[in-house]
């Protein structure tokens, strides 16, 4: 018999709560009944907690003790496809279902009654005395007909203080009304302002639109050189989605990208979309969550967590810069937003567009195997052409030990600045110096709670641990030998590079772009906008600048240390270096002036450096794929990381060794376990960390085997175990 969709008052319902419990809880349906998927408030001990009706209750204990649901919340019920998505995502990542539900309900005040706010619109008559300020208020209201505005919006639009508006309210010339705070977003018009596309772009856009019109699941890898207009192409797919009456989601890897992107969306569709990321206010988060569920938000621009919003009719997911590592959630629930986007789309018959100039090897392999469709844009848009690439061999440069900008790069920067163009100096290290060493005893200043060196941030006048965020003042004496005046910075960070650039180019205007140096997302957006408008001659930046920004005057990119990502045991080191260097170089020459990218390297003959310079992406991917295939590692094999942590180092090693000895569940499916071994950063926030790595063939059901394997052990005391399916980093 099919489970009911509606439960009458008193019927038993199974409720999944956001609390850390390993089961559904039985409750009685409240007065008026409830639907499957209803968001409810239920009693749990003395507390009231949020939950979702998942289906009929089991009734396998004393019915008399089962309490009723307190109330059904006034929000759209969770759809079947969303419940299926959370279940499948939980199974894939080996995450408890309650933790997945927490991800899907990260909006404050969902159980609060609808809140109200004051809005203002044109009233009757004229003011008793006309002033210039009052005239501007009335003109602003008259220009927009019967539209209402908040006090802040109206004051800013008219360029007056709020007291001017309040004075007009007292005379009845402006009406003050209460209205619900959680209102639908302005409708986007897919026909508002389409752009002229090149033949290549138009063909790509039509292919994506045809996929949207099919209303069937499919994934397309949209690969295009930097500056080729990938955004304009997939915005046409967004327009087609809106025409079909469905919702679209565009994922971006960095908050800093949203300001420029929102402007482009507004130009194209005539209104702003919903914006979902950590920089959005709590009030706006609740509004977006509710409107997405009711269909009052047609398009969401967001960070990876926007995947877990309760879309009413999701038709398209775009993952921009799909190769970016920030799509992998590395704490709490460990998931990759790119993979989860494909899963979510497959459950609601939506299309996925994975856009990148330098795709991940996983996506490239899926496209080569025919699992994904493939679209390529080979030319830059308009007059722009790809930058010239060249290496600066640092072995033959005459450079003092305390300097990092070579004479060759210095001359190139000076030439660009003299012509009124911009130059970018790139180094992928935050702070002033990555290591602070005592020249008396050799001690390297480390974090008290982590096995990590502390990074000097001279602008903040502090040492910062990039693992746990702990900070302390820069010491005057060595913490080990107590000798004063011997602590010295070793190696360059972005701040040290800025100091050197200031000395080399004293008349140039410098801008430093690093996430540490901006107090808020808004400040970061303003800094990027200022640079784009010509507010700096030389930009000093970390990988933040590699992600999709468009600086029209930028014609030279100088990479200070192109060798930085080539060392170490990370299986993706070559891939990430290749992607980052190509992305950074792609910032140059995006307007009509030709750009140049110069890579400072001590290894100009390294295969990755040679592939970057030659722009030979296809052969690079083929060679990289061949190496991974022979090694049996992703995307041609399966991997899972097990991270154990505890304040007691012996405890984590004892459990790690016990896991390694009792690996029968893994051997049954042909999987191997490696370790235990101390994690590369063996202590974070006072907790010792040990890793094990599971490796298996491509088709092996690794999740079931890992679940059975770790299920043999009960965790005792303060020991934690987390599973990372398809790990992206190994720290």
């Amino acid at each position: 018999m099919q489970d009911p969709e509606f439960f009458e008052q008193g019927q038993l319902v199974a409720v999944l709560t956001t609390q850390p419990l390993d089961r559904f809880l039985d409750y009685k349906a409240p007065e008026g009944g409830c639907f499957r998927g209803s968001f409810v408030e239920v009693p749990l001990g003395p507390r009231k907690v949020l939950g979702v009706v998942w289906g009929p209750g089991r009734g396998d204990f004393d019915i008399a003790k089962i309490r009723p649901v307190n109330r059904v919340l006034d929000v759209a019920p969770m759809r079947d496809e969303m419940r299926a998505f959370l279940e499948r995502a939980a199974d894939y990542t080996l995450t408890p279902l309650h933790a997945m539900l927490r991800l899907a309900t990260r909006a404050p005040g969902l159980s609060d009654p609808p809140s109200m706010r004051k809005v203002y619109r044109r009233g009757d008559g004229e003011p008793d005395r006309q002033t210039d300020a009052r005239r501007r208020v009335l003109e602003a209201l008259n220009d927009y007909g019967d539209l209402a505005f908040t006090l802040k919006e109206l004051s800013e639009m008219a360029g007056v203080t709020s007291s001017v508006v309040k004075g007009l309210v007292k005379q009845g010339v402006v009406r003050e009304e209460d209205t619900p705070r959680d209102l639908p977003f302005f409708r986007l018009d897919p026909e508002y302002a389409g752009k002229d596309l090149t033949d290549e772009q138009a063909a790509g856009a039509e292919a994506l639109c045809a996929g949207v019109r099919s209303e069937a699941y499919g994934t397309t890898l949209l690969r295009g050189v930097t500056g080729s207009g990938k955004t304009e192409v997939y915005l046409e797919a967004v327009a087609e989605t809106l025409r079909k009456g469905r919702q679209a989601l565009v994922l971006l890897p960095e908050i800093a990208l949203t300001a420029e992107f929102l402007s482009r969306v507004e130009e194209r569709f005539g209104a702003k979309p919903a914006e979902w990321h950590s920089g959005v206010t709590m009030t706006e988060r609740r509004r977006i969550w509710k409107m997405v569920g009711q269909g009052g938000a047609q398009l969401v621009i967001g960070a990876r967590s926007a995947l877990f919003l309760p879309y009413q009719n999701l038709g398209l997911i775009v993952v921009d810069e799909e190769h970016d590592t920030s799509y992998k959630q590395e704490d709490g629930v460990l998931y990759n937003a790119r993979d989860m986007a494909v899963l979510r789309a497959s459950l609601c018959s939506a299309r996925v567009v994975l856009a990148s100039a330098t795709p991940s090897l996983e996506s490239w392999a899926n496209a080569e195997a025919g699992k994904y469709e493939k679209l390529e844009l080979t030319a830059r848009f308009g007059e722009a052409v790809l930058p010239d690439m060249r290496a600066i061999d640092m072995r033959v440069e005459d450079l003092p030990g305390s300097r990092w900008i070579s004479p060759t790069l210095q001359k190139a920067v000076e030439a660009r600045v003299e012509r009124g163009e911009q130059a970018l100096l790139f180094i992928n290290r935050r702070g002033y110096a990555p290591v602070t060493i005592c020249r008396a005893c050799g001690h390297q200043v480390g974090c008290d709670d982590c096995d990590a060196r502390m990074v000097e941030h001279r602008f903040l006048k502090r040492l910062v641990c990039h693992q746990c965020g702990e900070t302390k003042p820069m010491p005057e004496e060595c913490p080990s030998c107590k000798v004063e005046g011997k602590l010295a910075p070793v190696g360059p960070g972005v701040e040290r590079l800025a100091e050197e650039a200031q000395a080399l180019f004293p008349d140039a205007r410098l801008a430093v772009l690093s996430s540490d140096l901006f107090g808020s997302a808004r400040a970061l957006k303003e800094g990027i906008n200022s640079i784009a408008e010509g507010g700096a001659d030389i930009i000093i930046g970390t990988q933040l600048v590699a992600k999709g920004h468009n600086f029209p005057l930028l014609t030279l990119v100088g990479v200070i240390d192109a060798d930085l990502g080539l060392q170490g045991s990370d299986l993706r080191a070559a891939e990430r270096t290749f992607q980052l260097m190509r992305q950074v170089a792609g910032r140059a020459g995006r307007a009509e002036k030709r750009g140049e990218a110069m890579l400072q390297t001590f290894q100009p003959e390294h295969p990755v450096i040679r592939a970057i310079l030659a722009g030979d992406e296809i052969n690079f991917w083929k060679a990289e794929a061949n190496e991974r295939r022979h090694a049996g590692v992703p995307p041609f094999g399966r991997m899972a990381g097990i991270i154990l942590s505890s304040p007691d180092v012996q405890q984590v090693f004892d459990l790690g060794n016990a896991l390694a000895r009792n690996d029968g569940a893994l051997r049954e499916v042909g999987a191997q376990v490696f370790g235990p071994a101390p994690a590369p950063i063996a202590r974070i926030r006072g907790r010792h960390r040990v890793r094990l790595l599971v490796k298996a063939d491509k088709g092996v059901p690794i999740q079931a085997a890992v679940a059975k394997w770790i299920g043999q052990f009960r965790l005792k005391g303060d020991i934690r175990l987390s599973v990372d399916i398809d790990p992206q980093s190994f720290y």
Side-chain angles (χ1 to χ4, degrees):
M1 192 176 85
Q2 194 173 12
D3 289 342
E5 290 298 313
F6 183 78
F7 301 92
E8 303 285 354
Q9 180 178 350
Q11 278 187 272
L12 290 186
V13 293
V15 174
L16 174 67
T17 71
T18 54
Q19 304 305 302
L21 302 168
D22 60 357
R23 65 190 187 281
F24 296 102
L25 302 177
D26 277 5
Y27 291 93
K28 292 175 183 173
E31 184 180 351
C34 58
F35 286 92
R36 182 199 297 271
S38 291
F39 287 86
V40 293
E41 180 187 272
V42 295
L44 185 63
R47 295 177 297 150
K48 296 174 182 176
V49 299
L50 177 69
V52 173
V53 175
W54 219 257
R58 293 175 58 182
D60 53 358
F61 65 98
D62 188 357
I63 300 292
K65 292 183 179 176
I66 296 178
R67 295 195 278 179
V69 168
N70 285 347
R71 64 190 179 97
V72 178
L73 305 188
D74 185 24
V75 296
M78 183 179 284
R79 296 167 54 80
D80 290 348
E81 59 90 3
M82 181 65 175
R83 293 201 307 282
F85 171 57
L86 294 181
E87 288 173 344
R88 293 273 296 275
D91 290 343
Y92 188 89
T93 59
L94 294 182
T95 300
L97 194 52
H98 66 79
M100 301 305 302
L101 181 60
R102 268 206 308 276
L103 268 183
T105 51
R106 290 170 78 174
L110 291 182
S111 58
D112 296 346
S115 62
M116 308 295 283
R117 65 175 174 179
K118 304 282 187 192
V119 295
Y120 300 83
R121 64 175 82 241
R122 184 70 162 95
D124 300 318
E126 298 295 329
D128 58 0
R129 183 172 56 84
Q130 190 67 273
T131 65
D132 184 54
R134 288 177 169 181
R135 179 185 53 74
R136 291 202 302 273
V137 171
L138 298 180
E139 281 179 357
L141 289 169
N142 291 335
D143 285 346
Y144 286 89
D146 198 38
L147 286 182
F149 300 91
T150 64
L151 185 59
K152 184 181 178 196
E153 288 170 341
L154 183 54
S155 301
E156 287 180 354
M157 208 159 45
V160 301
T161 61
S162 57
S163 60
V164 175
V165 179
K166 292 279 191 177
L168 290 169
V169 169
K170 287 179 182 174
Q171 296 185 31
V173 178
V174 173
R175 286 207 313 274
E176 181 182 79
E177 300 171 354
D178 286 318
T179 187
R181 189 176 292 274
D182 299 328
L183 292 172
F185 288 80
F186 287 117
R187 302 297 290 177
L188 305 180
D189 180 1
E191 318 303 335
Y192 182 76
K195 292 231 174 148
D196 292 332
L197 304 179
T198 64
D199 290 345
E200 188 179 50
Q201 288 177 316
E206 177 49 38
L208 295 182
C209 290
V212 170
R213 286 193 291 270
S214 74
E215 299 196 23
Y217 162 72
T219 296
T220 302
L221 176 61
L222 175 60
R223 178 175 163 270
V225 297
T226 52
S228 60
K230 293 183 292 294
T231 304
E232 302 305 336
V233 171
Y234 70 63
L235 282 182
E236 291 309 305
V238 171
E240 191 64 30
T241 307
L242 301 183
R243 290 186 195 105
K244 300 293 291 183
R246 303 186 75 182
Q247 292 166 302
L249 164 64
V250 177
L251 295 178
L252 300 178
E254 186 73 51
I255 292 175
L257 298 178
T258 55
E260 182 185 344
F261 189 81
L262 289 171
S263 298
R264 292 175 76 171
V265 170
E266 192 172 7
E267 285 173 20
R268 174 64 182 82
F269 299 113
K272 280 191 176 174
E275 187 181 353
W276 179 274
H277 51 71
S278 58
V280 173
T281 64
M282 291 292 117
T283 302
E284 190 67 1
R285 285 173 82 87
R286 185 191 64 230
R287 176 195 177 201
I288 293 167
W289 195 95
K290 289 186 174 182
M291 288 305 110
V292 163
Q294 295 171 20
Q298 299 162 283
L299 172 60
V300 177
I301 311 300
R304 58 182 179 239
S305 59
L307 261 180
F308 293 88
L309 290 170
Y311 299 94
Q312 185 190 65
N313 187 5
L314 185 59
L316 175 70
I317 304 174
V318 177
V319 186
D320 202 358
E321 309 286 2
E322 64 86 29
H323 65 277
D324 200 282
T325 54
S326 61
Y327 284 124
K328 179 65 187 275
Q329 171 88 14
E330 295 282 8
D331 54 12
V333 178
L334 307 180
Y335 69 93
N336 190 314
R338 180 193 65 222
D339 301 339
M340 291 299 108
V342 172
L343 172 61
R344 175 125 207 211
S346 70
L347 294 170
C348 61
S349 300
R351 303 295 294 190
V352 179
V353 177
L354 304 177
S356 175
T358 54
S360 61
L361 188 57
E362 283 83 353
S363 297
W364 183 87
N366 280 329
E368 289 294 300
K371 284 179 68 176
Y372 295 168
E373 295 167 26
K374 186 163 59 173
L375 282 175
E376 298 210 4
L377 302 176
T378 57
R380 280 192 156 184
F381 184 76
E383 300 293 315
V385 291
L386 287 169
D388 295 323
M389 306 280 290
R390 58 174 287 206
I392 298 174
D393 188 345
M394 298 298 285
R395 296 170 301 186
V396 298
E397 290 286 320
D398 183 16
L399 192 67
S402 59
R403 285 261 310 276
W404 311 99
I405 300 171
S406 65
T408 301
L409 181 57
Q410 180 183 346
K411 286 177 191 168
V413 171
E414 286 169 347
R416 302 285 170 164
V417 172
E418 281 175 18
R419 295 206 298 261
E421 298 168 10
Q422 289 177 324
L424 164 66
L425 299 177
F426 171 82
I427 186 161
N428 200 21
R429 279 200 186 111
R430 293 179 291 154
Y432 184 81
V435 179
T436 299
I437 194 169
C438 174
R439 294 200 188 278
C441 71
H443 174 75
Q444 296 181 14
V445 181
C447 176
D448 297 333
D449 299 315
C450 305
D451 286 347
R453 297 160 173 156
M454 296 199 86
V455 177
E456 181 182 352
H457 284 245
R458 192 157 290 190
F459 292 173
L460 301 174
K461 296 185 175 63
R462 297 185 76 79
L463 292 170
V464 179
C465 173
H466 286 177
Q467 296 303 321
C468 68
E470 186 63 38
T471 74
K472 55 186 170 186
M474 188 70 196
E476 295 292 327
E477 62 179 34
C478 171
S480 177
C481 68
K482 307 303 180 186
V483 174
E484 286 191 22
K486 288 291 184 178
L487 290 175
V490 177
V494 68
E495 295 174 15
R496 190 173 195 176
L497 189 61
E499 187 176 270
E500 182 178 335
Q502 190 70 71
L504 289 177
F505 315 107
D507 298 326
R509 297 168 300 156
L510 262 61
V512 183
L513 270 186
S514 175
S515 53
D516 302 302
L517 305 177
F518 292 88
S520 67
R522 186 185 301 275
L524 181 55
K525 290 175 187 176
E526 288 172 358
I528 288 167
N529 287 340
S530 171
I531 292 168
E533 290 166 5
D537 302 313
I538 300 172
I539 306 150
I540 319 284
T542 62
Q543 65 175 351
L544 185 70
V545 299
K547 300 179 180 181
H549 304 300
N550 188 20
F551 302 132
L553 298 175
L554 180 63
T555 56
L556 174 68
V557 169
V559 177
I560 298 302
D561 188 354
D563 307 329
L564 187 58
L566 295 176
Q567 314 308 324
S569 58
D570 186 348
L571 66 92
R572 293 183 175 86
E575 177 188 357
R576 286 179 178 153
T577 300
F578 182 82
Q579 289 165 338
L580 186 58
M581 294 299 106
R582 294 292 295 175
Q583 290 279 332
V584 172
R587 297 310 106 208
R590 293 172 71 95
E592 64 275 1
K593 293 179 181 175
R594 191 175 186 95
E596 184 176 16
M598 305 174 85
L599 279 61
Q600 295 190 162
T601 174
F602 287 91
Q603 307 175 69
E605 68 288 336
H606 193 289
V608 175
I609 299 295
R610 282 163 50 194
I612 293 165
L613 296 173
D616 191 0
E617 299 189 16
I618 300 302
N619 280 334
F620 173 78
W621 291 129
K622 283 180 179 175
E624 186 70 7
N626 202 38
E627 280 193 27
R628 300 254 198 109
R629 189 180 286 109
H630 284 307
V633 295
F636 306 104
R638 302 293 311 278
M639 292 183 94
I642 311 297
I643 306 99
L644 309 172
S645 72
S646 167
D648 182 343
V649 66
Q650 191 60 49
Q651 190 179 33
V652 282
F653 270 103
D654 287 347
L655 178 56
N657 286 318
L659 280 164
R661 285 194 303 269
N662 296 277
D663 64 343
L666 298 176
R667 282 186 280 109
E668 281 175 14
V669 296
Q672 297 173 275
V673 61
F674 299 90
I681 302 173
R683 190 172 55 105
I684 294 180
R685 297 184 182 92
R687 299 182 67 85
H688 298 275
R689 305 168 71 247
V690 164
R691 290 189 66 103
L692 297 99
L693 194 63
V694 178
K695 182 168 170 280
D697 291 339
K698 177 82 171 164
V700 168
I702 196 169
Q703 285 91 339
V706 169
K708 183 178 176 183
W709 173 50
I710 63 177
Q712 304 172 87
F713 299 90
R714 291 187 65 83
L715 301 183
K716 297 174 184 175
D718 195 15
I719 195 164
R720 295 178 197 154
L721 182 154
S722 63
V723 180
D724 187 0
I725 301 294
D726 306 326
Q728 292 290 307
S729 64
F730 299 87
Y731 74 92

